[in-house]
Amino acid sequence: MQAIYEKPKTFIDSATHFCPGCGHGIVLRLIAEILDSWGMRGKTIGLAPVGCAVLAYNYLDIDMCEAPHGRPPAVATGIKRVHPDKLVFAYQGDGDLAAIGMAEIIHAANRGENITFIFVNNAIYGMTNGQMAPTTLLGQKTATTLSGRNATNDGYPIRVCELLAVIEGSSFIERVSISSPEQVRKTKKALEKGFRTQIEKKGFSLVEILSSCPIYWRMDSNEAMRYIDEEMSRIFPLGVVKDWEAKK
Amino acid sequence: MANINFSRAYLTMKQLLTGNEAAAEAAIQAGCRYYYGYPITPQNELINYMSVRMPQVGGVFIQAESEIAAINMVYGSAAAGGRTMTSSSSPGISLKQEGISYLAGSELPCVIVNIQRGGPGLGDISASQADYFQAVKGGGHGDYHLIVLAPCSVQEMANLVYDAFGLSDKYRTPVLILGDAQIGQLMEPVEFPEKPNKKSPSKTWALTGAEGRKRNIVKSFYPVKGQLEEFNNHLQEKYKNIEEHEVRYEAVNIQNADVILVAYGTSARICKEVVKKSQQLDFKVGMIRPITLWPFPKKFIRKISENAQCILTVEMSAGQMVEDVRLSVEGKCPVYFYGRTGGGVPASSEVIKKIVEIVPENLAANRLLQLAEVK
């Protein structure tokens, strides 16, 4: 019998701690698949975030580092400057990257750091029990916006890709989602392009992945996927935002 | 930093540099190749110097977007196995505390220079020693210590920065150089003798890509019950070991001294002058200068206190190190304090007046008082 699809070797054989319907497992698996097929397991250094994905190093069989809340771009800069020929990626959530770590990501982009950032945006703080994120949609109910996010008091959802695209040092920026098998395949392609941008030393790359948090969205998994397609994708449009290979 | 010739032959000759420049050059001589900083007075000569020198030796210099980013770049380079350093001054060091706690919690070696200025808050830019608590009692969150070295001259700044890299690698812990605006900006002759051990020991735990080996993880997160306590016990064992082996101090004229001064850094320079002046009298003043503020020379101070009449701690703070002196003395002799704060620097005459105040019955007191009035 011929195996046509199996668990990637870089993905450690264990049950994950993620909730049912959470997108993190899908994204981490895609990273493992790419590292496997490119033979990059031993040439890669990853950064785990704070929040739900802090235990990413329990699932990816590669050298990995933790970073303080919001600081992965600075920590990754320090790693990449020591190992310019290793593939370095940072895995960040919406609170990590767009709230406390906004300065670090903007300046890493501005320096054109040759690093790939994987930005998992589920528009909520999962680990701390569902508080508002910078990317929470207007009207979205969270533990700190019980009657829905209100622009007057809470500001607007921040569009990270569009913000970083105007920075001269950024090279490749794309927004994708994990809402369907088709979108997952696009996400894998975007991650591959992000990594290739780095391997070819073209500079800063960021892939934003619209992801799900059924528990704190108070939805079942199917509803959560619909929410990504119908609500999130409207505020955060999918597609390539900046591409160094695109024809001018 | 005008007209400095960086050739090896030149650097082994005696030359005039500021403490900040000496710290930077010593780091480079010690093999540091990753420097991340952010400008703040009074340590700017250090970052300026690094911006010129690091590219010359094939190293990395980044002017980070903040002190927070700088310490986290240090964290990354340390995790990746590089010899790395940052420097700042009091308000900037406060910003770095989160990163310093993570460095201690991930057992990463690095060197951090704090050229202290007056505080709290924005304070001022003149010399102070008011960050002692922050430096030796933790500073960030959690149960941890830094090795804290306090130079009192430009030459000693160079020597201690050099040693700091060795200590940080040996114990896998951040080492803090605690200077102040006077030590940082003062110019004195310094030389950088060629020393061995420029290279770090093999770092099998570092992140280099897991080719041909099991993966390495650099972290300080222990969510499973009991694991964090076990890790903390391991840290405390390490700190005990450091306390056992790395205590450094200088003792001046302490045999049969009537008063023993305890001071470090700039205060110690002033106290040395007091010791020197007292030699002209039959009243004897000695001095203990802790070089490691952590581990603190508590055993030595306790031993001396058994025969001393009294101890006077002199600091440029409202009284911080004096608490460690009192803990060391354990009530064996009276401990007095004289301090200036908010950027005030004590004059030797002020210290002498304080000595007179605490030993009023002594026959030599009047002569001391006269001496204090001599400009």
Side-chain angles (χ1 to χ4, degrees):
Chain A
M1 201 161 60
Q2 191 194 355
I4 52 165
Y5 202 61
E6 59 187 358
K7 203 168 190 174
K9 289 191 178 60
T10 303
F11 203 90
I12 291 167
D13 197 8
S14 70
T16 69
H17 70 291
F18 300 117
C19 304
C22 166
H24 278 304
I26 297 171
V27 183
L28 291 174
R29 184 193 162 118
L30 292 178
I31 295 168
E33 283 179 11
I34 296 167
L35 297 182
D36 263 15
S37 62
W38 291 6
M40 292 293 287
R41 183 237 159 219
K43 299 180 182 69
T44 302
I45 301 169
L47 272 121
V50 298
C52 295
V54 64
L55 296 174
Y57 46 71
N58 282 357
Y59 314 125
L60 294 177
D61 183 27
I62 55 172
D63 272 9
M64 282 198 80
C65 188
E66 231 170 56
H69 197 189
R71 319 297 174 219
V75 177
T77 297
I79 292 173
K80 186 73 180 183
R81 296 296 176 118
V82 177
H83 300 299
D85 292 323
K86 295 287 183 316
L87 182 70
V88 177
F89 72 85
Y91 191 90
Q92 295 189 264
D94 36 60
D96 196 43
L97 185 140
I100 194 168
M102 189 62 112
E104 281 79 6
I105 194 68
I106 286 179
H107 288 277
N110 196 43
R111 286 191 303 271
E113 291 293 339
N114 197 37
I115 296 167
T116 305
F117 292 87
I118 300 166
F119 171 38
V120 181
N121 177 7
N122 61 11
I124 204 154
Y125 284 44
M127 184 173 260
T128 50
N129 295 357
Q131 294 85 356
M132 183 187 76
T135 50
T136 293
L137 306 188
L138 288 179
Q140 189 181 335
K141 290 179 181 173
T142 73
T144 48
T145 55
L146 285 176
S147 48
R149 183 177 189 167
N150 166 349
T152 313
N153 190 63
D154 313 315
Y156 296 88
I158 292 175
R159 294 188 183 94
V160 167
C161 289
E162 289 77 357
L163 189 65
L164 292 176
V166 298
I167 290 180
E168 224 162 312
S170 64
S171 293
F172 173 71
I173 294 175
E174 182 172 356
R175 186 182 288 118
V176 289
S177 98
I178 49 94
S179 64
S180 67
E182 184 198 353
Q183 294 302 337
V184 170
R185 277 195 294 277
K186 283 187 181 165
T187 296
K188 187 171 175 181
K189 283 214 166 66
L191 289 171
E192 285 172 340
K193 176 74 182 274
F195 288 151
R196 194 163 61 77
T197 299
Q198 182 182 165
I199 289 165
E200 294 185 22
K201 299 195 190 300
K202 300 296 181 189
F204 180 93
S205 51
L206 179 135
V207 178
E208 175 175 341
I209 302 162
L210 302 187
S211 185
S212 50
C213 182
I215 300 295
Y216 291 110
W217 288 359
R218 313 287 179 201
M219 295 175 192
D220 68 29
S221 301
N222 288 332
E223 274 180 284
M225 295 307 157
R226 268 200 302 277
Y227 187 77
I228 293 175
D229 285 340
E230 289 165 17
E231 302 295 331
M232 277 183 90
S233 305
R234 215 158 39 82
I235 305 301
F236 303 111
L238 303 184
V240 175
V241 184
K242 191 171 189 181
D243 184 357
W244 54 276
E245 278 183 315
K247 284 181 187 148
K248 296 236 164 119
Chain B
M1 201 179 57
N3 304 322
I4 297 177
N5 173 344
F6 295 109
S7 73
R8 187 60 241 170
Y10 179 83
L11 288 168
T12 51
M13 286 161 39
K14 231 173 207 180
Q15 57 193 293
L16 208 54
L17 288 182
T18 66
N20 287 326
E21 289 164 341
E25 184 58 39
I28 288 165
Q29 295 303 319
C32 172
R33 289 297 177 268
Y34 306 95
Y35 173 88
Y36 308 99
Y38 188 79
I40 181 171
T41 308
Q43 60 84 57
N44 294 318
E45 296 81 8
L46 208 167
I47 177 171
N48 294 355
Y49 192 99
M50 283 298 196
S51 73
V52 175
R53 280 288 276 152
M54 271 300 177
Q56 288 177 348
V57 295
V60 169
F61 167 88
I62 296 182
Q63 180 172 329
E65 61 269 30
S66 68
E67 286 90 347
I68 298 169
I71 191 74
N72 282 287
M73 289 173 187
V74 165
Y75 180 97
S77 286
R83 266 203 168 174
T84 179
M85 174 180 179
T86 187
S87 60
S88 192
S89 178
S90 308
I93 294 289
S94 293
L95 285 170
K96 290 183 194 287
Q97 290 303 331
E98 176 199 45
I100 294 172
S101 169
Y102 274 73
L103 282 153
S106 302
E107 298 197 271
L108 293 176
C110 69
V111 175
I112 302 150
V113 178
N114 180 4
I115 302 299
Q116 296 170 91
R117 57 189 258 181
L122 193 54
D124 71 4
I125 57 163
S126 51
S128 166
Q129 295 179 324
D131 300 352
Y132 178 91
F133 282 157
Q134 187 193 50
V136 307
K137 308 289 183 191
H141 58 283
D143 273 328
Y144 76 91
H145 284 288
L146 306 175
I147 296 177
V148 182
L149 305 173
C152 84
S153 68
V154 174
Q155 182 66 58
E156 195 178 34
M157 174 69 94
N159 296 349
L160 292 183
V161 165
Y162 195 96
D163 293 348
F165 283 98
L167 287 168
S168 74
D169 276 337
K170 184 174 175 188
Y171 294 102
R172 284 186 62 184
T173 189
V175 176
L176 182 83
I177 302 287
L178 193 65
D180 62 60
Q182 295 249 4
I183 302 292
Q185 296 187 322
L186 169 82
M187 286 187 103
E188 281 181 338
V190 59
E191 54 189 334
F192 302 94
E194 193 127 36
K195 293 187 183 180
N197 307 322
K198 266 190 188 181
K199 280 201 176 143
S200 300
S202 140
K203 296 177 175 176
T204 52
W205 47 266
L207 307 176
T208 57
E211 197 84 84
R213 61 160 168 79
K214 279 180 72 177
R215 73 209 168 104
N216 285 334
I217 298 169
V218 171
K219 67 178 177 86
S220 56
F221 186 50
Y222 297 90
V224 177
K225 194 171 164 28
Q227 275 186 356
L228 180 59
E229 187 162 24
E230 197 181 312
F231 173 72
N232 267 279
N233 289 339
H234 154 73
L235 274 187
Q236 295 306 319
E237 280 302 311
K238 173 161 90 176
Y239 297 144
K240 262 188 215 154
N241 189 20
I242 295 171
E243 283 190 285
E244 204 58 47
H245 295 103
E246 305 299 345
V247 172
R248 299 187 195 184
Y249 54 85
E250 181 189 0
V252 186
N253 277 10
I254 52 165
Q255 291 303 319
N256 309 314
D258 295 299
V259 172
I260 290 171
L261 304 174
V262 184
Y264 70 97
T266 291
S267 309
R269 291 173 76 103
I270 293 148
C271 288
K272 253 186 193 170
E273 203 183 311
V274 175
V275 171
K276 210 168 151 190
K277 280 187 177 179
S278 80
Q279 281 168 347
Q280 302 162 32
L281 306 168
D282 47 3
F283 185 87
K284 212 171 157 200
V285 179
M287 180 179 82
I288 298 170
R289 177 174 73 90
I291 297 169
T292 50
L293 297 179
W294 195 91
F296 195 68
K298 55 186 178 189
K299 280 186 191 163
F300 181 72
I301 290 178
R302 190 184 188 286
K303 199 177 109 204
I304 295 304
S305 69
E306 281 169 6
N307 298 316
Q309 287 192 26
C310 70
I311 285 177
L312 171 62
T313 303
V314 179
E315 294 178 72
M316 283 137 62
S317 80
Q320 299 194 9
M321 182 177 71
V322 65
E323 293 191 2
D324 282 338
V325 175
R326 288 200 177 109
L327 286 170
S328 307
V329 165
E330 290 178 344
K332 300 282 173 196
C333 76
V335 175
Y336 299 94
F337 171 72
Y338 182 72
R340 294 279 304 275
T341 186
V345 178
S348 59
S349 59
E350 293 168 29
V351 178
I352 291 169
K353 273 181 188 158
K354 181 70 185 178
I355 294 172
V356 171
E357 190 187 308
I358 62 179
V359 284
E361 302 305 318
N362 194 291
L363 291 175
N366 281 336
R367 294 179 64 189
L368 268 172
L369 196 55
Q370 283 164 9
L371 196 65
E373 280 156 7
V374 174
K375 293 283 174 197

